[in-house]
Amino acid sequence: MSTQQKELESLVNRRYEHGFVTDIEQESLPPGLDEDVIRAISARKNEPEFMLEWRLKAYRHWLTIKEPEWAHVHHHPINYQDISYFSAPKSDKDRPQSLDEVDPKLLETYDKLGIPLHERARLAGVAVDAVFDSVSVATTFKDKLSEAGVIFCPFSEAVVEHPALLQKYLGTVVPHRDNFFAALNSAVFSDGSFVYIPKGVRCPMELSTYFRINAANTGQFERTLIIADEGSHVSYLEGCTAPMRDENQLHAAVVELVALEDAEIKYSTVQNWYPGDEDGKGGIYNFVTKRGDCRGANSKISWTQVETGSAITWKYPSCILRGENSVGEFYSVAVTNNLQQADTGTKMIHIGRNSSSTIVSKGISAGHAQQSYRGLVRVMPQAEGARNHTQCDSLLIGKECGAHTFPYMEVRNSGAKVEHEATTSRISENQLFYCRQRGISEEDAVNMIVNGFCKEVFKELPMEFAVEAQALLNVSLEGAVG
Amino acid sequence: MSKMLEIENLKARIAGNEILTGLNLVVSTGEVHAIMGPNGSGKSTLAQVIAGHADYDVTEGSVKFDGNDLLELEPEERAREGIFLGFQYPVEIPGVNNAYLLKAAVNAKRKHVGMDEIDAFEFLKLAREKMALLDMDQSFLNRGVNEGFSGGEKKRNEILQMAMLEPKLAILDETDSGLDIDALKAVANGVNALRHADRAIVLVTHYQRLLDYIEPDFVHVLSKGQIVRSGDKSLALELEEKGYEWVREVANA
């Protein structure tokens, strides 16, 4: 039995494939954070005054608050003065206008990741706004999008080109005072994506951004804002991987979604940041604030996430269901292996009449990993007829890992319907033996069982992303312990 | 006819308890063997050891398959070489589509023998053919593996997998237990359809009943981890008549 156990463990402990560092010269600010650093970031980006003021306001607030400690994760204290808050590839000055002009080394990096950008763009008809170390270096299909009136650009460009839209919506979903990491992000955010879909427009293609973190000791502070105006529709894909590094890398992104009347936003994430080695050394700290505001009647926001990476994940993509009949959805697969820790879930805040929400959370733990589902369903008194269904399933692989569930429900309307279902199961040696007796290798058997477990979430992902997500899961969890 | 499975002085234990105590058995191509015996005599252990279950330790003896050492191989390698075990208690694998498992199994074997993967149409055609033989509803393919299946459905599903994989050696562990007469006939149909000069079948069973439908060439009686008697199908009838108490007496004599 014990040799079997060892073999299984060796399968689980497969090394991260995407660990490498691209040698592109960095133009970074020295480590440390004060008002001058913020001014320097703002100046480098040629930001208008309002943006600098906003950053400073956030920074001053951040100084007054403490890092939250309630999450079910453990890590050494982060020294925020050891982090460099800005880095950009040197080629920033003369930005490439097309993929041909992109640094070949960068393209090579994408190739190593199995993301041939040009091919992906051509085959899938996806416009890609590739964020590489804080500055966007490739934007495609811009013409087609602008024909439809869609704005899809780096955040820093939006600050300069579309200040009115930005001022109207920035920080209205995740205010700079929201939480410690959101405040930090608001002060120092480097870049990210900005999307505006005009009234009645169905975005002609899926919008996609690939993020990478590539500079040692550099915090990555992305900021994304997506606005779907009345009756519009957009599907946004976010995917990321990171190279191997020894220092822990802090990532504190903020994503704000605004859906006006009859609008729909579908936001899909595949996250594969470096999780650290077997001892948990060197992985990414992923402290993200993602929130969508269903501001208008009949609006819909759907979060789908596949989380396999990072040493620590602290992430709760949420929906504020303000509009009447608005719909919020959260579909999640989270995988933790080795010493990875994840505290993730969602919040559904029901304010509008007949608002409804669906939560499907699938957690998979292997090795010594700890994973928590933390979900809040809040029904406000005015949310007449609100409905929620939560399904929260955990799959354990091996005997050393843990799964925890913290569902919070605050229902202040007696007519609301709130349902919660939860299961915990384990991949058994008998299941694996059964598959192996049919000629299927242990690895393939685990993948098969895990994919079966995640089916409900994968079917929510856009096709090409679903394939990628499945492959990612297989890499993250090769093998299992019964 | 050539020797396919050769078991010599096999001793195996689980959790420190010796279950097989020096078992000898030779199965040749084209033969159907029935292994009978009281509960705890080691019938299922024999099946599990041949399939390679890690809970069992082989302490002595040898098992050869087509002249090669079988005990060296991983369970999946044994399966790809053509050994199929019909489980007494097939496990449920929720969420995994039955068709998906079947196809993965068929392809693992095809890959092993250097064939291309089966295409979706060919697979479906083959599966439907075999299911008709077993009187199985098409909807089986789209259900989770054994998920919520009745006892009879699980056993039919085992035979379906066997029919799809066309093994050289099929070991059916108590495939008849818990089956009503219709299911038993359907299962027997499936097994009989697979009888072939190049193939061998080992039926592990507690009761003679199955042998009314699948006629064995040899019957062996297992007691305390050894084969204590071998004969033709009349031995099964004798056993049915005299009961296992008789076997114990023979074994002790």
Side-chain angles (χ1 to χ4, degrees):
Chain A
M1 191 93 116
S2 68
T3 51
Q4 169 96 344
Q5 197 85 12
K6 266 182 204 153
E7 280 168 31
L8 297 177
E9 267 167 25
S10 76
L11 284 171
V12 171
N13 297 336
R14 229 192 86 162
R15 273 164 186 276
Y16 183 78
E17 279 189 340
H18 298 155
F20 45 80
V21 173
T22 308
D23 184 21
I24 292 178
E25 281 181 73
Q26 304 288 338
E27 189 192 333
S28 304
L29 284 177
L33 183 56
D34 56 25
E35 292 204 0
D36 287 343
V37 166
I38 290 164
R39 284 176 208 281
I41 293 170
S42 189
R44 269 177 207 232
K45 294 180 161 298
N46 302 315
E47 285 178 351
E49 190 61 23
F50 83 87
M51 203 65 253
L52 175 62
E53 287 308 317
W54 197 75
R55 284 177 183 275
L56 289 172
K57 200 165 61 180
Y59 174 67
R60 287 166 196 152
H61 176 70
W62 180 73
L63 288 175
T64 67
I65 53 180
K66 282 210 164 74
E67 201 180 314
E69 284 171 352
W70 46 263
H72 192 73
V73 297
H74 305 278
H75 58 83
H76 292 297
I78 300 165
N79 186 343
Y80 294 92
Q81 296 304 331
D82 277 353
I83 295 169
S84 165
Y85 288 86
F86 186 82
S87 80
K90 262 205 164 162
S91 51
D92 187 21
K93 288 156 204 153
D94 33 12
R95 270 201 200 191
Q97 299 307 301
S98 75
L99 278 174
D100 304 337
E101 296 174 29
V102 170
D103 189 332
K105 264 192 191 157
L106 184 56
L107 292 178
E108 211 178 287
T109 306
Y110 285 120
D111 281 345
K112 282 189 211 164
L113 289 170
I115 309 163
L117 203 52
H118 44 286
E119 235 206 338
R120 179 171 286 279
R122 186 172 57 80
L123 289 176
V126 172
V128 178
D129 174 4
V131 175
F132 182 82
D133 253 21
S134 321
V135 171
S136 303
V137 291
T139 306
T140 50
F141 288 105
K142 238 179 164 166
D143 293 346
K144 200 169 170 188
L145 289 174
S146 64
E147 230 171 77
V150 171
I151 302 169
F152 176 38
C153 67
F155 200 92
S156 53
E157 191 181 313
V159 172
V160 179
E161 304 284 330
H162 310 284
L165 270 175
L166 209 80
Q167 269 185 291
K168 187 171 173 190
Y169 290 105
L170 178 68
T172 63
V173 186
V174 180
H176 71 268
R177 308 177 74 91
D178 191 80
N179 67 69
F180 182 82
F181 296 110
L184 179 63
N185 175 288
S186 301
V188 302
F189 70 87
S190 37
D191 211 333
S193 294
F194 177 82
V195 176
Y196 174 76
I197 316 290
K199 272 184 197 175
V201 170
R202 199 179 170 89
C203 187
M205 62 190 71
E206 270 160 351
L207 304 178
S208 170
T209 303
Y210 281 89
F211 294 93
R212 281 184 59 83
I213 302 176
N214 204 49
N217 231 356
T218 300
Q220 179 101 356
F221 303 94
E222 300 287 343
R223 183 132 199 144
T224 296
L225 174 58
I226 299 176
I227 302 143
D229 213 327
E230 291 172 17
S232 70
H233 176 284
V234 63
S235 170
Y236 188 89
L237 318 180
E238 172 201 28
C240 26
T241 60
M244 195 176 287
R245 279 291 186 187
D246 268 337
E247 298 91 342
N248 281 305
Q249 292 180 304
L250 174 64
H251 184 92
V254 170
V255 176
E256 295 182 279
L257 311 182
V258 180
L260 300 182
E261 202 173 313
D262 297 316
E264 182 176 343
I265 301 174
K266 189 172 169 58
Y267 192 105
S268 312
T269 306
V270 171
Q271 188 265 114
N272 183 27
W273 280 324
Y274 182 52
D277 62 15
E278 291 84 349
D279 303 319
K281 199 180 169 211
I284 303 293
Y285 290 2
N286 189 24
F287 303 142
V288 185
T289 306
K290 286 184 167 177
R291 194 173 303 153
D293 190 352
C294 284
R295 215 163 272 187
N298 310 311
S299 57
K300 179 177 175 182
I301 288 178
S302 181
W303 298 100
T304 306
Q305 60 171 21
V306 176
E307 302 274 328
T308 64
S310 298
I312 301 175
T313 301
W314 183 97
K315 181 180 173 187
Y316 315 90
S318 305
C319 296
I320 301 166
L321 302 166
R322 213 181 293 274
E324 201 171 305
N325 301 316
S326 60
V327 177
E329 293 176 338
F330 174 75
Y331 297 97
S332 169
V333 167
V335 180
T336 46
N337 197 356
N338 294 319
L339 288 171
Q340 277 180 285
Q341 306 175 64
D343 192 305
T344 182
T346 184
K347 288 189 274 187
M348 293 290 175
I349 314 296
H350 291 260
I351 300 169
R353 287 161 58 93
N354 297 318
S355 54
S356 67
S357 60
T358 303
I359 298 170
V360 178
S361 165
K362 303 277 183 177
I364 301 160
S365 274
H368 290 81
Q370 292 294 326
Q371 188 171 127
S372 305
Y373 168 80
R374 190 182 301 275
L376 168 67
V377 177
R378 178 182 289 155
V379 179
M380 304 298 274
Q382 66 270 43
E384 213 55 66
R387 295 181 308 280
N388 162 267
H389 182 83
T390 299
Q391 190 193 325
C392 181
D393 299 324
S394 303
L395 185 68
L396 302 176
I397 305 178
K399 296 181 173 73
E400 312 293 333
C401 54
H404 316 269
T405 306
F406 304 97
Y408 303 88
M409 282 176 220
E410 297 174 19
V411 182
R412 297 186 216 156
N413 182 301
S414 57
K417 265 193 201 161
V418 177
E419 301 164 340
H420 182 94
E421 283 177 45
T423 66
T424 302
S425 54
R426 197 182 284 278
I427 294 185
S428 73
E429 281 184 23
N430 282 337
Q431 284 174 331
L432 293 178
F433 181 64
Y434 187 80
C435 295
R436 294 175 76 188
Q437 212 302 305
R438 298 301 180 249
I440 299 163
S441 72
E442 192 160 73
E443 266 175 44
D444 289 348
V446 171
N447 290 343
M448 200 165 73
I449 293 169
V450 167
N451 283 322
F453 177 74
C454 301
K455 209 158 48 182
E456 279 167 280
V457 174
F458 283 171
K459 74 177 184 351
E460 295 297 325
L461 287 171
M463 186 59 184
E464 71 276 13
F465 233 33
V467 173
E468 208 172 293
Q470 208 156 326
L472 200 61
L473 229 63
N474 298 353
V475 170
S476 310
L477 276 179
E478 289 217 318
V481 180
Chain B
M1 229 189 273
S2 61
K3 285 179 183 175
M4 180 186 280
L5 182 72
E6 299 165 83
I7 302 176
E8 244 184 73
N9 189 33
L10 183 64
K11 295 186 181 177
R13 52 178 61 200
I14 182 167
N17 298 319
E18 188 155 84
I19 309 290
L20 299 182
T21 56
L23 186 141
N24 296 290
L25 177 67
V26 175
V27 177
S28 296
T29 50
E31 294 175 351
V32 175
H33 290 241
I35 294 180
M36 304 182 72
N39 289 330
S41 58
K43 301 188 302 285
S44 284
T45 297
L46 176 62
Q48 297 281 330
V49 167
I50 295 172
H53 198 294
D55 284 357
Y56 297 87
D57 291 324
V58 173
T59 52
E60 228 182 295
S62 67
V63 180
K64 281 184 180 168
F65 184 64
D66 282 341
N68 301 314
D69 183 1
L70 185 70
L71 299 176
E72 264 189 359
L73 302 181
E74 293 294 322
E76 57 268 38
E77 293 169 327
R78 299 181 194 198
R80 291 172 201 156
E81 286 292 333
I83 291 178
F84 178 91
L85 171 62
F87 284 77
Q88 183 177 4
Y89 304 108
V91 295
E92 299 195 6
I93 312 179
V96 175
N97 196 294
N98 215 15
Y100 190 88
L101 176 94
L102 255 186
K103 203 170 160 210
V106 168
N107 281 331
K109 189 161 181 199
R110 286 172 73 115
K111 195 177 162 197
H112 183 68
V113 298
M115 286 168 76
D116 285 339
E117 291 201 348
I118 192 166
D119 76 65
F121 291 107
E122 202 186 329
F123 170 79
L124 216 59
K125 189 170 158 255
L126 193 66
R128 286 193 174 135
E129 224 171 78
K130 306 291 185 191
M131 288 171 82
L133 186 72
L134 291 164
D135 197 19
M136 285 171 85
D137 194 89
Q138 299 285 321
S139 65
F140 259 82
L141 284 179
N142 298 321
R143 291 167 67 182
V145 175
N146 294 319
E147 193 180 357
F149 283 24
S150 71
E153 286 174 331
K154 284 183 183 172
K155 295 300 172 73
R156 276 183 218 221
N157 201 30
E158 294 293 290
I159 302 303
L160 171 65
Q161 292 177 1
M162 177 181 78
M164 292 291 288
L165 291 168
E166 302 188 324
K168 283 188 207 160
L169 172 65
I171 304 160
L172 303 177
D173 189 3
E174 307 249 358
T175 296
D176 51 331
S177 67
L179 294 189
D180 63 29
I181 196 73
D182 290 336
L184 187 68
K185 280 180 181 167
V187 164
N189 261 343
V191 175
N192 285 327
L194 220 70
R195 282 182 92 142
H196 191 273
D198 295 333
R199 188 171 285 137
I201 296 169
V202 174
L203 305 168
V204 172
T205 180
H206 196 75
Y207 301 106
Q208 195 273 336
R209 184 177 73 147
L210 177 68
L211 309 181
D212 288 341
Y213 299 95
I214 308 170
E215 203 173 299
D217 302 304
F218 300 95
V219 174
H220 310 278
V221 179
L222 200 59
S223 177
K224 295 178 180 166
Q226 295 180 10
I227 287 175
V228 292
R229 241 177 123 154
S230 297
D232 60 14
K233 63 173 180 166
S234 64
L235 178 60
L237 293 168
E238 197 179 346
L239 203 59
E240 178 95 332
E241 199 182 301
K242 296 183 177 170
Y244 283 117
E245 208 40 52
W246 167 67
V247 178
R248 288 194 190 96
E249 283 162 25
V250 171
N252 289 332

